[in-house]
Amino acid sequence: MSVKSIIIFIVQIFCCVYIVLSGDIIPEKVYIVLLIAAGLIIGIWAMAEHKMKFNVLPELLEGSKLITSGPYRIVRHPIYTAVLMIIGGYVINTPSLVNIILYLILIIDLIIKLKYEEKLLLKRFIDYNDYMKKTKALIPYLY
């Protein structure tokens, strides 16, 4: 566990907690609830593919395996995608300048985190480079 990993995680948690707590925990608008629910489903599905054994820090756990099934067929980092969907729903629910800035910081933070994690994955798994060519990082068909 590196200092860089801990800082990345603290920034992520701070942004998420602040945004969620800045408004209603359960939004009134149905489309926002659906966005948050879709994010939760994707996140839980991704965690289930790991059999609930995953690390919130970018470092790989001992005995980690490359998962390319489930939501990992579509994007390489579906848990990060889920976080962005969920927190994005809360930003839409409570659109303040602070929340928008924190959401942008969260996006940058998660991109830094996934780039760091992918360096580690490339070192650990020979076929990770091929997997990267077949899938996008966060958003299907875009990024």
Side-chain angles (χ1 to χ4, degrees), residues 16 18-20 29 34 41 55 62 64-65 71 88 90 98 103 107 117 120 133 136-137 140 142:
C16 291
Y18 184 92
I19 291 168
V20 169
K29 295 183 176 131
L34 292 174
I41 290 166
N55 192 359
E62 199 64 37
S64 292
K65 295 179 181 174
Y90 282 103
V98 172
Y103 190 65
I107 292 169
E117 186 176 345
L120 300 173
K133 291 175 185 174
K136 298 294 182 183
L142 295 176

Side-chain angles (χ1 to χ4, degrees), residues 52-131:
M52 304 308 272
K53 294 179 183 176
F54 60 94
N55 192 359
V56 295
L57 301 175
E59 279 85 17
L60 305 177
L61 295 174
E62 199 64 37
S64 292
K65 295 179 181 174
L66 180 59
I67 308 288
T68 60
S69 59
Y72 292 90
R73 289 181 309 220
I74 303 163
V75 292
R76 296 190 304 272
H77 302 278
I79 295 174
Y80 300 172
T81 300
V83 168
L84 291 173
M85 290 173 69
I86 294 163
I87 302 305
Y90 282 103
V91 171
I92 294 167
N93 188 57
T94 312
S96 68
L97 181 59
V98 172
N99 281 354
I100 293 167
I101 290 169
L102 287 175
Y103 190 65
L104 292 173
I105 291 169
L106 176 64
I107 292 169
I108 293 166
D109 185 67
L110 288 176
I111 290 171
I112 291 167
K113 186 177 181 181
L114 77 84
K115 296 282 186 192
Y116 179 55
E117 186 176 345
E118 288 192 332
K119 286 181 185 177
L120 300 173
L121 289 163
L122 283 165
K123 288 179 185 176
R124 172 89 57 95
F125 302 108
I126 296 168
D127 49 349
Y128 194 77
N129 194 41
D130 292 334
Y131 173 60

